[in-house]
Amino acid sequence: MGSCFVDRIGELIELTAAEMVALSGLEQRERSLRRGAVLLREHDKLADMFIVRRGVLMSFVLLPDGSRQILRFLFPGDLIGVSSLVYRTSTESIAALSEAVVAPFDRALIGTLIAEHPRLTGVLMALHEMERVILTDRLAALGRTSAKVRVASLLIEIRNRQRIDDRNIGASFALGLTQEEIGDATGLTSVHVNRMLRQLEEEGMISRAGGRFTITNEPALIRAANYIDRSSRIDLGWLPAAK
Amino acid sequence: MGSCFVDRIGELIELTAAEMVALSGLEQRERSLRRGAVLLREHDKLADMFIVRRGVLMSFVLLPDGSRQILRFLFPGDLIGVSSLVYRTSTESIAALSEAVVAPFDRALIGTLIAEHPRLTGVLMALHEMERVILTDRLAALGRTSAKVRVASLLIEIRNRQRIDDRNIGASFALGLTQEEIGDATGLTSVHVNRMLRQLEEEGMISRAGGRFTITNEPALIRAANYIDRSSRIDLGWLPAAK
DNA sequence: CGCAAATTTGAACGTAGTCAACAAGTGTGG
DNA sequence: CCACACTTGTTGACTACGTTCAAATTTGCG
């Protein structure tokens, strides 16, 4: 019954009652997705946005030669379809990687939010900027790091993200991705992903069994991934007052 | 005397007098930079943002092994330091690629803007999203396209961007980048960039002389670059009313 | 149990990187 | 105005990381 978006934003600021109401207003409707279902296709006409309520999805683009680049993985509390605030048609495709539930809402509601809740608007911009910074980190990884580094950092990223929703997750976790999907996210072929995973395993950083990964030497894996933790440096001191 | 930011936003919506005043308020101060000067370094403490008024700059990150990834090129009207809306320290370094002038302003002014100008806030979000989409395009290029494609698309991008500020620019233009910089933007070595440029030249798509490039077969170059023009699909119909 | 999808492995290949040397510009001070 | 230093561009030879292709094996699932 709770709102995922309220939870997400509530981690950044202390919400007023009115703000909570406004945010929950975005999650009135619900739509369930099977694993593999496509929520949005590139170039689809686009007037709705979505908030992820449950499950994991991915956003990706397809290139003329048929290859796929996964842009990001979407977890509960994430926004889908922000590009509808600018473009008539979607710039990305979205598909479910597990059973998933999303909450669709009309993009015009963002306009209402901006007009009535300046502080929430500020947080929205901050969330949006965090997305952008994640993309720059990925860009640097694709442009300037080796296959092993990219695979290692994907493992760490997904594990850390899963742990936010489930504090029980420790060294062992289910990645929930095929090796082909790992490849499409890291800019590699599935064959080479397989070799990199085996190499990380041989070097004692991870072990694998039945689709589950276990990080057996976390410091080494983090070093191999040149992982950047940005969550500790957040500062929203500039936000306008709540209305 | 005009404001670059007013110009930029004025291309997207019809500004009211009050909105123009608010936007020009962000460009009260000025700071000049020599070619090569560093405006911001990663991890620098950060409370100001900047609007580019003249010249070209780049934002980049340095990796642990010393390699550099250029994230984007900054032209008049672009915002610098949006990450100060979230992070205590800068996530990117910024350096001038030519003589340049920027207008610094306190990030808290964004809070004022949000509180007083809902429609401008919406446009700001739209601009921010356009930045994000550019990054996803680049990400797909780095992850899934060949060296030649990446170099070709960089040439087209820069030429097209220059043409926005100077309608005289046609097939011939000064790129203003060294081959090493092209490499750092496209995830290649300068040596390989050189080979790709020569190859594009041999195939009759471009010619070079004294630092200037001339596009000799634009349709072919655009095809080689699998260029995406997003500017034609903009739709800001959701914006709240101006106040 | 049987099928399809996913993983694993090997061999050959190719794109892009590395190293090195040289040429061509560019700017500076004498 | 020239000499010198330094940066940038150019080219060749060699290397290596990651891809491609193909086949075998394992896993998940109806």
Side-chain angles (χ1 to χ4, degrees):
Chain A
M1 223 351 284
S3 152
C4 292
F5 210 41
V6 166
D7 294 347
R8 167 68 61 90
I9 293 181
E11 279 162 25
L12 294 171
I13 58 169
E14 204 69 44
L15 288 163
T16 67
E19 286 175 337
M20 283 191 204
V21 171
L23 288 179
S24 336
L26 303 177
E27 287 175 71
Q28 293 308 303
R29 287 185 284 152
E30 257 195 13
R31 177 159 162 203
S32 295
L33 299 164
R34 299 271 161 79
R35 170 174 172 76
V38 175
L39 175 62
L40 270 180
R41 230 175 284 271
E42 267 175 275
H43 312 302
D44 274 1
K45 206 148 192 218
L46 187 62
D48 265 350
M49 294 173 57
F50 306 85
I51 292 163
V52 180
R53 289 184 61 82
R54 276 211 305 281
V56 183
L57 301 92
M58 63 176 172
S59 92
F60 61 94
V61 292
L62 294 173
L63 287 102
D65 68 351
S67 63
R68 175 173 72 172
Q69 176 67 47
I70 296 178
L71 300 170
R72 63 160 312 189
F73 299 104
L74 297 150
F75 292 86
D78 282 332
L79 267 177
I80 294 176
V82 180
S83 67
S84 76
L85 296 184
V86 186
Y87 300 105
R88 218 179 301 282
T89 59
S90 179
T91 58
E92 304 166 17
S93 301
I94 309 284
L97 287 167
S98 68
E99 308 290 300
V101 179
V102 298
F105 64 91
D106 189 290
R107 65 174 187 165
L109 289 182
I110 295 288
T112 315
L113 198 74
I114 290 175
E116 293 175 7
H117 293 281
R119 195 171 67 131
L120 289 182
T121 303
V123 179
L124 209 60
M125 280 178 121
L127 284 173
H128 196 202
E129 173 64 10
M130 288 162 88
E131 299 283 306
R132 198 196 61 85
V133 170
I134 287 169
L135 284 174
T136 65
D137 287 344
R138 247 196 248 295
L139 194 70
L142 286 199
R144 289 300 188 207
T145 74
S146 70
K148 192 157 78 167
V149 172
R150 292 185 232 167
V151 171
S153 84
L154 182 93
L155 293 178
I156 300 259
E157 251 183 68
I158 301 268
R159 198 280 308 256
N160 286 0
R161 183 57 186 81
Q162 287 184 0
R163 194 148 60 169
I164 290 174
D165 291 333
D166 179 358
R167 296 310 286 176
N168 295 324
I169 288 174
S172 182
F173 66 107
L175 187 66
L177 300 176
T178 66
Q179 293 180 3
E180 184 155 6
E181 286 159 349
I182 300 174
D184 286 344
T186 52
L188 301 168
T189 59
S190 60
V191 174
H192 203 58
V193 167
N194 184 283
R195 287 198 254 262
M196 292 302 101
L197 287 173
R198 192 159 50 78
Q199 208 172 311
L200 290 172
E201 197 167 21
E202 275 165 10
E203 292 169 7
M205 299 189 208
I206 63 171
S207 68
R208 292 176 295 160
R212 289 188 71 79
F213 286 76
T214 304
I215 299 176
T216 46
N217 186 345
E218 183 156 345
L221 189 65
I222 287 179
R223 244 176 293 120
N226 68 54
Y227 176 69
I228 309 168
D229 176 30
R230 303 213 178 264
S231 59
S232 60
R233 310 181 168 213
I234 290 176
D235 168 21
L236 299 177
W238 63 276
L239 288 176
K243 196 151 80 180
Chain B
M1 226 349 287
S3 151
C4 293
F5 209 42
V6 166
D7 295 347
R8 168 70 58 91
I9 293 181
E11 278 163 25
L12 295 171
I13 59 170
E14 204 69 44
L15 289 164
T16 67
E19 286 174 337
M20 283 192 205
V21 170
L23 288 178
S24 335
L26 302 177
E27 286 175 71
Q28 292 308 302
R29 286 185 285 152
E30 257 195 12
R31 178 160 162 199
S32 296
L33 298 164
R34 299 271 162 77
R35 170 173 171 77
V38 176
L39 175 61
L40 270 179
R41 228 174 285 270
E42 266 175 275
H43 310 305
D44 274 1
K45 204 145 195 223
L46 188 62
D48 266 351
M49 293 174 58
F50 306 85
I51 293 164
V52 180
R53 289 184 62 84
R54 275 212 307 281
V56 183
L57 301 91
M58 63 177 171
S59 92
F60 61 95
V61 291
L62 294 173
L63 287 101
D65 68 351
S67 62
R68 174 175 72 173
Q69 177 67 46
I70 294 177
L71 301 170
R72 64 160 310 194
F73 298 104
L74 297 151
F75 291 87
D78 283 332
L79 266 178
I80 295 175
V82 180
S83 67
S84 77
L85 296 183
V86 186
Y87 301 105
R88 218 179 299 282
T89 58
S90 179
T91 58
E92 304 166 18
S93 301
I94 309 282
L97 287 166
S98 67
E99 308 290 300
V101 179
V102 298
F105 65 90
D106 190 291
R107 66 174 186 167
L109 290 181
I110 296 287
T112 315
L113 199 75
I114 291 176
E116 294 175 6
H117 294 281
R119 194 170 69 131
L120 290 183
T121 303
V123 179
L124 209 58
M125 279 176 118
L127 284 174
H128 196 201
E129 173 63 10
M130 289 163 88
E131 298 283 305
R132 199 196 60 85
V133 171
I134 287 169
L135 283 174
T136 66
D137 288 344
R138 246 195 249 295
L139 195 69
L142 286 200
R144 289 299 187 210
T145 73
S146 70
K148 191 156 78 169
V149 173
R150 292 185 234 167
V151 171
S153 83
L154 182 91
L155 292 178
I156 299 260
E157 252 183 68
I158 301 268
R159 197 283 306 257
N160 286 0
R161 183 57 187 78
Q162 287 184 1
R163 195 149 58 171
I164 291 174
D165 290 334
D166 179 358
R167 297 310 286 174
N168 294 323
I169 288 175
S172 181
F173 66 108
L175 186 66
L177 299 176
T178 65
Q179 292 181 3
E180 183 155 8
E181 285 159 350
I182 299 174
D184 286 343
T186 54
L188 301 168
T189 59
S190 59
V191 174
H192 203 58
V193 166
N194 183 285
R195 288 197 261 260
M196 294 302 103
L197 287 174
R198 191 159 51 78
Q199 210 173 311
L200 291 172
E201 197 167 21
E202 276 165 11
E203 291 168 9
M205 300 189 208
I206 62 171
S207 67
R208 293 176 293 159
R212 289 188 71 81
F213 286 77
T214 304
I215 300 176
T216 47
N217 186 345
E218 183 154 346
L221 189 65
I222 286 179
R223 243 177 292 120
N226 69 52
Y227 177 68
I228 310 166
D229 176 29
R230 304 215 178 262
S231 58
S232 60
R233 309 181 167 210
I234 291 176
D235 168 21
L236 299 178
W238 63 276
L239 288 177
K243 197 149 78 178

